Amino acid sequence: MKLKVLVIEDNKQNMYMITYLLESYSYEVIQSFNGIDGIQRAKEEKPDIILLDIQLPEMDGYAIASELMKHDELKNIPIIAVTSYAMMGDKEKAMKAGAIGYIEKPIDPDIFVSQMEAFLPPQLLQRSKD
Ligand code: MN
């Protein structure tokens, strides 16, 4: 069964690359370019995984993660932060907001999908192989 990944990312090139990589590994991708839309898509699509850019216009990734956590039907979806904002404490801040993991930009196409999969609960990964 294909796992559904909601990608919330405002940079078109990054979105293109992430989508290309995930689809190459048989994931289904839902694209969202901002937080308001991303939260809406999460409610509608019930993705298995959320890849969340931190630097976004208007609503940043921390605010989005915090908002997702308020919804019972969404709070158990694993959120992985993706950000180039290499400041100290950024990772901790993302985890505190609800992310289970953190991938640093620039995206490395050779390892991106395995970086993501390393954070996923084993039963979820198993489901993608069933
Ligand atoms: Mn961004």
Side-chain angles (χ1 to χ4, degrees):
M1 204 197 89
K2 275 192 181 188
L3 294 182
K4 199 191 272 191
V5 186
L6 171 62
V7 182
I8 305 174
E9 163 68 79
D10 64 326
N11 180 288
K12 288 200 174 73
Q13 276 178 294
N14 285 331
M15 179 64 95
Y16 179 85
M17 187 186 287
I18 291 170
T19 300
Y20 173 79
L21 292 169
L22 289 173
E23 288 181 348
S24 307
Y25 282 83
S26 295
Y27 287 90
E28 180 185 345
V29 175
I30 300 154
Q31 299 184 335
S32 183
F33 291 89
N34 67 73
I36 304 292
D37 177 67
I39 290 163
Q40 188 58 38
R41 302 305 296 281
K43 289 176 183 167
E44 291 167 4
E45 302 274 355
K46 301 287 190 312
D48 299 296
I49 304 157
I50 297 174
L51 285 179
L52 180 60
D53 181 25
I54 295 298
Q55 288 176 290
L56 291 160
E58 289 155 40
M59 195 175 188
D60 69 22
Y62 306 119
I64 295 167
S66 302
E67 182 61 30
L68 291 168
M69 289 297 138
K70 289 181 192 164
H71 298 270
D72 282 340
E73 76 278 23
L74 303 177
K75 68 181 181 195
N76 295 319
I77 302 172
I79 298 171
I80 297 161
V82 183
T83 181
S84 53
Y85 206 59
M87 262 175 66
M88 288 289 285
D90 213 42
K91 184 178 177 180
E92 288 72 17
K93 220 173 145 186
M95 306 300 250
K96 210 174 165 187
I100 62 160
Y102 179 98
I103 299 172
E104 273 182 33
K105 287 179 190 167
I107 290 159
D108 181 342
D110 293 333
I111 59 169
F112 182 77
V113 174
S114 53
Q115 282 179 305
M116 181 191 81
E117 289 178 341
F119 292 117
L120 300 179
Q123 64 272 24
L124 190 58
L125 264 184
Q126 186 55 49
R127 202 140 66 73
S128 69
K129 297 179 177 81
D130 289 343

Short mmCIF file of all heavy atoms in Angstrom, two decimals, residues 9-11 53-56 105, ligand 1:
data_model
loop_
_atom_site.label_atom_id
_atom_site.label_comp_id
_atom_site.label_asym_id
_atom_site.label_seq_id
_atom_site.Cartn_x
_atom_site.Cartn_y
_atom_site.Cartn_z
N GLU A 9 5.76 23.01 1.75
CA GLU A 9 7.04 23.61 1.33
C GLU A 9 6.74 24.74 0.36
O GLU A 9 6.00 24.54 -0.60
CB GLU A 9 7.89 22.51 0.68
CG GLU A 9 9.06 22.96 -0.15
CD GLU A 9 10.16 23.62 0.67
OE1 GLU A 9 10.94 22.89 1.30
OE2 GLU A 9 10.22 24.88 0.67
N ASP A 10 7.29 25.93 0.61
CA ASP A 10 6.98 27.06 -0.27
C ASP A 10 7.96 27.23 -1.42
O ASP A 10 7.67 27.95 -2.38
CB ASP A 10 6.89 28.37 0.54
CG ASP A 10 8.21 28.75 1.16
OD1 ASP A 10 8.97 27.84 1.56
OD2 ASP A 10 8.49 29.96 1.27
N ASN A 11 9.11 26.57 -1.32
CA ASN A 11 10.11 26.71 -2.39
C ASN A 11 9.83 25.71 -3.50
O ASN A 11 9.85 24.50 -3.28
CB ASN A 11 11.51 26.51 -1.80
CG ASN A 11 12.60 26.63 -2.84
OD1 ASN A 11 12.75 25.75 -3.69
ND2 ASN A 11 13.34 27.71 -2.80
N ASP A 53 8.33 22.10 5.97
CA ASP A 53 9.32 23.18 5.90
C ASP A 53 9.09 24.08 7.11
O ASP A 53 7.95 24.24 7.56
CB ASP A 53 9.10 23.94 4.59
CG ASP A 53 10.09 25.08 4.38
OD1 ASP A 53 11.20 25.03 4.94
OD2 ASP A 53 9.73 26.02 3.63
N ILE A 54 10.15 24.63 7.65
CA ILE A 54 9.99 25.52 8.81
C ILE A 54 9.84 26.97 8.38
O ILE A 54 9.01 27.72 8.90
CB ILE A 54 11.17 25.36 9.80
CG1 ILE A 54 11.17 23.95 10.41
CG2 ILE A 54 11.10 26.43 10.90
CD1 ILE A 54 9.94 23.59 11.25
N GLN A 55 10.64 27.38 7.41
CA GLN A 55 10.56 28.77 6.95
C GLN A 55 9.49 28.91 5.86
O GLN A 55 9.71 28.58 4.71
CB GLN A 55 11.89 29.22 6.40
CG GLN A 55 12.93 29.43 7.48
CD GLN A 55 14.26 29.79 6.87
OE1 GLN A 55 14.91 28.97 6.25
NE2 GLN A 55 14.67 31.03 7.04
N LEU A 56 8.35 29.40 6.28
CA LEU A 56 7.22 29.58 5.37
C LEU A 56 6.64 30.97 5.61
O LEU A 56 6.75 31.50 6.72
CB LEU A 56 6.14 28.53 5.67
CG LEU A 56 6.46 27.07 5.32
CD1 LEU A 56 5.54 26.14 6.10
CD2 LEU A 56 6.32 26.82 3.84
N LYS A 105 18.33 21.02 5.13
CA LYS A 105 18.56 21.42 3.74
C LYS A 105 19.99 21.93 3.64
O LYS A 105 20.52 22.41 4.62
CB LYS A 105 17.58 22.53 3.35
CG LYS A 105 16.16 22.08 3.15
CD LYS A 105 15.31 23.29 2.79
CE LYS A 105 13.84 22.96 2.81
NZ LYS A 105 13.01 24.18 2.77
MN MN B 1 10.59 27.70 2.96
#
